[in-house]
């Protein structure tokens, strides 16, 4: 065996096959017997062989670039922290693998949004794509991309999408359940909820977790006011104003931090004392959640880790270095954590009772 890092020739020699056979196995190519494939994979494992992806793509004349595709309608402010976190994680993986990363915005309200994405796929401008919501939940789009045998990984995708392509995300339903259970443990029984953008399946899962926690406590979500925002600060403000004009509630759950901060702004402007009059919680653990007053109780979503893992899975699919479950897509769950801050306390009547 050669000195230093093992080479493809070392793998071929150990497996007792030709160099071209090793290449076919690593790229998931045809015309390889089960016996030869098994021998090559065993040799790869024993030698701990890693493909030099940068050399491979430079030699192949490929674009050597992957895209991170996100939604933007150019009218409302983007969820910049969410995309920046994913981008930083993906860049970390790209720098190690020798890839370039390109951020690509598509208007989610355009009637041609899927056509534009499929044209991007057909152009082979990118070696593969990382899709974020709502595109990562568009079943028709995912099926069309899969039919072209184009490498793609979905971020925060729903259950149906996970059947079609590899996915990375947190367990949003469990997170919604846990943060609601925390509020219930503080004594809250009157809730309200601000949902996220329609069609965002992972955000809907947060609501389903909320519903499950309420039912376990003998409460019904149908008895609690629910409105839909679009993940922006403005929608949080607008929806909170709407809620504050209706039924009384002591705890407000928001599908992301930007809307939660908007809701806090509306509550302050309405003359409410936070968190004594109403506890507000969010999702994502964005930087603003620490500097708003009161600091926001939220769910930490490890966006950098999600972006990095999504890129690493994409590289594996591009190179054919590893088959996922016999060719079937695999969902990768990244752990989330609750972050307890001052925005969530016991309801005022329980606070008064405790003091008496």
């Amino acid at each position: 065996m050669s000195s230093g890092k093992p080479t493809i020739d070392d793998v071929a020699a150990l497996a007792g096959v030709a160099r071209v056979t090793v290449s076919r196995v690593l790229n998931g190519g045809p015309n390889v017997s089960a016996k030869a494939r098994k021998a090559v994979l065993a040799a790869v494992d024993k030698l701990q062989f890693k493909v030099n992806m940068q050399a491979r793509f430079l030699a192949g004349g490929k674009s050597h670039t992957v895209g991170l595709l996100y939604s933007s309608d150019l009218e409302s402010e983007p969820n910049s922290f969410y995309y920046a976190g994913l981008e930083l994680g993906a860049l970390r993986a790209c720098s190690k693998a020798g890839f370039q990363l390109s951020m690509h915005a598509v208007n989610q309200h355009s009637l041609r949004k899927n056509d534009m994405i499929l044209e991007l796929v057909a152009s082979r401008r990118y070696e593969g794509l990382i899709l974020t919501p709502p595109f990562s939940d568009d079943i028709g789009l995912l099926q069309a991309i899969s039919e072209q045998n184009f490498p793609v990984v979905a971020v925060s995708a729903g259950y149906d999408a996970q059947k079609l392509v590899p996915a990375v995300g947190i367990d949003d339903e469990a997170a919604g359940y846990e943060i609601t259970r925390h509020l219930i443990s503080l004594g809250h029984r009157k809730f309200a909820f601000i949902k996220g953008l329609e069609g965002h399946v992972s955000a809907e899962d947060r609501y389903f977790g909320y519903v499950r926690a309420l039912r376990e406590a003998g409460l019904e979500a149908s008895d609690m006011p629910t409105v839909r925002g679009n993940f922006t600060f403005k929608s949080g403000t607008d929806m909170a104003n709407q809620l504050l004009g209706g039924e009384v509630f002591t705890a407000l759950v928001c599908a992301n931090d930007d809307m939660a901060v908007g809701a806090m702004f509306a509550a302050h402007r309405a003359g409410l004392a936070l968190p004594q009059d109403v506890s507000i919680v969010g999702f994502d653990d964005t930087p603003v959640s620490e500097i708003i007053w009161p600091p926001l109780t939220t769910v930490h979503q490890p966006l950098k880790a999600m972006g990095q893992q999504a890129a690493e899975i994409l590289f594996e699919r591009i190179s054919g270095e590893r088959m996922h479950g016999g060719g079937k897509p695999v969902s990768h769950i990244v752990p989330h954590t609750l972050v307890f801050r001052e925005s969530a306390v016991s309801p005022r009547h329980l606070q008064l009772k405790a003091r008496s």
Side-chain angles (χ1 to χ4, degrees):
M1 189 176 78
S2 61
S3 60
K5 292 183 179 180
T7 67
I8 192 171
D9 294 312
D10 296 326
V11 174
L14 183 59
V17 299
R19 191 176 193 274
V20 66
T21 302
V22 176
S23 180
R24 286 173 180 167
V25 171
L26 294 177
N27 287 285
N31 304 321
V32 180
S33 69
K35 181 179 179 181
R37 188 178 301 276
K38 182 178 180 180
V40 169
L41 293 177
V44 166
D45 184 61
K46 183 173 182 179
L47 295 174
Q48 295 186 320
F49 174 71
K50 299 292 182 183
V51 178
N52 185 332
M53 298 184 72
Q54 183 171 10
R56 168 179 290 181
F57 286 101
L58 287 173
K62 303 292 185 178
S63 70
H64 209 47
T65 303
V66 294
L68 198 163
L69 194 148
Y70 65 98
S71 62
S72 175
D73 61 11
L74 305 180
E75 295 296 330
S76 59
E77 73 270 21
N79 189 343
S80 57
F81 175 78
Y82 179 83
Y83 297 124
L86 293 175
E87 180 184 15
L88 285 171
L91 279 171
R92 185 181 299 165
C94 285
S95 65
K96 291 180 180 178
F99 273 85
Q100 298 293 320
L101 178 71
S102 176
M103 299 289 287
H104 194 101
V106 174
N107 186 343
Q108 73 267 30
H109 301 304
S110 170
L111 296 177
R112 292 196 67 252
K113 59 182 181 295
N114 284 11
D115 289 336
M116 289 188 287
I117 295 170
L118 292 174
E119 288 169 4
L120 194 65
V121 170
S123 73
R124 290 302 193 265
R125 172 179 170 184
Y126 301 126
E127 295 294 319
L129 285 177
I130 299 171
L131 299 181
T132 62
F135 308 119
S136 56
D137 282 313
D138 191 318
I139 302 303
L141 173 64
L142 296 178
Q143 288 175 331
I145 293 176
S146 298
E147 288 171 2
Q148 297 193 40
N149 196 32
F150 186 81
V152 64
V153 176
V155 173
S156 299
Y159 179 72
D160 291 336
Q162 292 174 24
K163 296 178 183 178
L164 296 173
V165 298
V168 175
I170 67 169
D171 187 335
D172 287 280
E173 197 274 345
Y177 172 83
E178 290 166 14
I179 200 163
T180 307
R181 283 291 305 169
H182 172 62
L183 291 168
I184 291 171
S185 73
L186 293 173
H188 291 280
R189 294 297 181 269
K190 295 181 179 180
F191 289 82
F193 196 102
I194 300 181
K195 291 185 171 183
L197 192 68
E198 189 168 9
H200 194 307
V201 176
S202 63
E204 291 299 297
D205 285 342
R206 298 170 185 180
Y207 177 73
F208 296 147
Y210 160 84
V211 170
R212 178 162 67 96
L214 292 184
R215 286 180 177 169
E216 282 189 6
L219 305 171
E220 283 297 328
S222 58
D223 296 332
M224 314 290 178
T226 301
V227 293
R228 185 178 295 282
N230 64 4
F231 294 125
T232 63
F233 173 90
K234 183 178 185 303
S235 74
T237 301
D238 292 343
M239 293 303 100
N241 283 331
Q242 181 178 320
L243 289 168
L244 292 171
E247 300 176 41
V248 175
F249 55 90
T250 64
L252 173 60
V253 183
C254 302
N256 81 335
D257 286 350
D258 284 357
M259 293 193 299
V261 172
M264 295 173 97
F265 175 77
H268 282 304
R269 193 165 57 182
L272 296 177
L274 300 182
Q276 295 88 346
D277 291 330
V278 59
S279 291
I280 299 177
V281 300
F283 276 81
D284 291 339
D285 193 25
T286 61
V288 72
S289 66
E290 293 186 89
I291 60 176
I292 192 71
W293 183 256
L296 185 65
T297 290
T298 186
V299 174
H300 177 71
Q301 185 172 207
L303 296 171
K304 293 178 185 177
M306 289 164 56
Q308 181 171 347
Q309 190 167 32
E312 290 170 349
I313 294 168
L314 185 62
F315 301 152
E316 290 168 356
R317 292 188 67 81
I318 292 170
S319 69
E321 187 176 344
R322 186 178 79 188
M323 298 299 291
H324 294 263
K328 296 180 180 180
V330 175
S331 177
H332 298 260
I333 302 299
V334 180
H336 65 272
T337 53
L338 295 190
V339 181
F340 303 108
R341 299 195 181 103
E342 289 91 332
S343 73
V345 297
S346 297
R348 184 182 285 276
H349 73 276
L350 292 181
Q351 298 174 39
L352 294 174
K353 184 178 179 180
R355 294 170 189 161
S356 63

